[in-house]
Amino acid sequence: MSDGFCTHCFTLLPALATACPVCGNAQNNTGEGDYREKVVSALRHPSPEVRVRAIVAIGLMHDKSAADALVACALRNPADVVVGLQIIETLKIIDDGKPRMTALRYLHARHPDDAIKQAAQVTLNAILPAPGA
């Protein structure tokens, strides 16, 4: 069982952890709004590992308001295919509405990496209703 993520490196924490087992940062009681802001701001972190953990945290929080920030992260780091693919995985689960569809369409149209474009298209095909259905 986990209580959440480290407010510094966004590693998944064991229940009742008072310090992060990865970075050692003491965990304090951060308000939900402050925590969300920290997670979204971690999408700009220089470490790809921290960015991936933040992307996973956004998915587990089902934060559909972060769709634009996820797209911006993918476009800021176009050579990091792992980050781009994790963003698409997160977009699959954060919502079932317009923010997700817009984000996936944008990644398909604008991302420079063919693997990301293809993954976005496959995801769109899987969630769009079949013609005539």
Side-chain angles (χ1 to χ4, degrees):
M1 173 117 195
S2 168
D3 283 336
F5 295 86
C6 172
T7 57
H8 181 71
C9 74
F10 301 98
T11 296
L12 190 61
L13 294 173
L16 305 175
T18 58
C20 177
V22 172
C23 71
N25 197 47
Q27 301 302 297
N28 56 12
N29 293 331
T30 304
E32 187 174 316
D34 294 337
Y35 182 74
R36 185 206 172 275
E37 289 174 25
K38 284 185 176 193
V39 173
V40 171
S41 70
L43 295 174
R44 292 182 168 273
H45 198 280
S47 167
E49 292 85 8
V50 172
R51 288 194 304 268
V52 167
R53 288 192 294 261
I55 293 162
V56 169
I58 287 168
L60 292 173
M61 293 175 356
H62 295 276
D63 186 357
K64 60 183 154 187
S65 66
D68 289 343
L70 290 167
V71 169
C73 177
L75 295 176
R76 258 192 321 278
N77 304 285
D80 194 338
V81 177
V82 172
V83 165
L85 293 174
Q86 185 60 56
I87 286 170
I88 290 171
E89 288 301 311
T90 294
L91 288 169
K92 287 179 184 178
I93 62 172
I94 63 171
D95 87 85
D96 59 359
K98 188 175 179 180
R100 173 177 71 176
M101 298 301 290
T102 301
L104 288 167
R105 285 183 176 126
Y106 199 84
L107 287 172
H108 177 259
R110 303 286 173 120
H111 200 281
D113 188 275
D114 288 338
I116 304 303
K117 287 182 178 210
Q118 181 179 4
Q121 185 61 57
V122 166
T123 301
L124 282 166
N125 291 345
I127 59 180
L128 287 172

